[in-house]
Amino acid sequence: MAPTLRPIDAADHAFLRSVYATTRAEEIAMAGWDAGTADAFVGMQFDAQHSFYRKRYPAGQFDVVLDGATPLGRLYVSREAQRIHVIDIALLPAYRNRGTGGALLAGLMREAEQRGAAVTIHVELNNPAMSLYERLGFREISSAGFHRLMEWRATTLTHKEHTA
């Protein structure tokens, strides 16, 4: 089944926080904190990130990713004149490496191609999804600190991808 999207609402807060926590789990485990400290840290960081995203992208589309009625993750997107910017994409660990993220990105890529726009995403250097972005044809266009700005354009497809 292809993933679907629905706008987030206040009732999704705990779910969205749990998705965020999975993206920080390895880092938190290395810190060696007790459960209460780790939970407080995740809560503070999630709230700060969510608030930043809402302020930075007031017209953004903030969605829960679904398989039927089952929430799998989140997809936050900002549609601008010349680009579709993936603010954030994150799936629960049980739903990673199953094609869901690729399907979501492919949909955005089709939309961008129809509009003559690019798809962009900021990616941490050690993000395990980096290989997915590269496989889909995203290319680094800039880097700062621990992040790369990756971009996909229909014109960046290789000859092999055009003929496939």
Side-chain angles (χ1 to χ4, degrees):
M1 171 181 267
T4 59
L5 303 171
R6 74 158 169 75
I8 66 170
D9 62 36
D12 294 316
H13 183 83
F15 170 73
L16 295 169
R17 184 175 182 224
S18 72
V19 171
Y20 174 79
T22 69
T23 69
R24 304 290 299 267
E26 187 175 310
E27 173 188 1
I28 290 168
M30 290 189 329
W33 294 328
D34 62 71
T37 301
D39 188 58
F41 175 79
V42 165
M44 178 186 67
Q45 291 292 300
F46 170 76
D47 290 342
Q49 182 191 67
H50 190 75
S51 177
F52 171 77
Y53 286 163
R54 288 292 203 170
K55 287 178 185 164
R56 172 69 175 87
Y57 304 99
Q61 182 177 339
F62 298 85
D63 291 318
V64 172
V65 178
L66 302 166
D67 180 2
T70 304
L72 313 177
R74 66 185 190 179
L75 176 64
Y76 299 168
V77 175
S78 174
R79 287 171 171 81
E80 302 165 13
Q82 296 301 310
R83 73 177 184 157
I84 298 171
H85 181 66
V86 179
I87 302 164
D88 190 70
I89 181 171
L91 300 171
L92 291 172
Y95 301 101
R96 294 178 191 156
N97 299 311
R98 293 181 168 194
T100 303
L104 293 167
L105 291 167
L108 294 173
M109 292 159 64
R110 283 189 301 275
E111 178 185 341
E113 185 171 24
Q114 292 169 352
R115 289 180 38 198
V119 178
T120 60
I121 185 169
H122 284 97
V123 184
E124 289 184 4
L125 295 176
N126 62 347
N127 186 323
M130 183 65 77
S131 62
L132 169 64
Y133 303 129
E134 290 171 343
R135 199 169 53 248
L136 291 173
F138 283 79
R139 303 291 177 250
E140 180 180 334
I141 59 171
S142 69
S143 64
F146 296 104
H147 292 90
R148 293 179 181 166
L149 178 59
M150 306 289 289
E151 178 183 74
W152 177 90
R153 290 184 178 276
T155 58
T156 62
L157 296 176
T158 65
H159 176 72
K160 178 181 173 185
E161 292 165 309
H162 276 297
T163 59

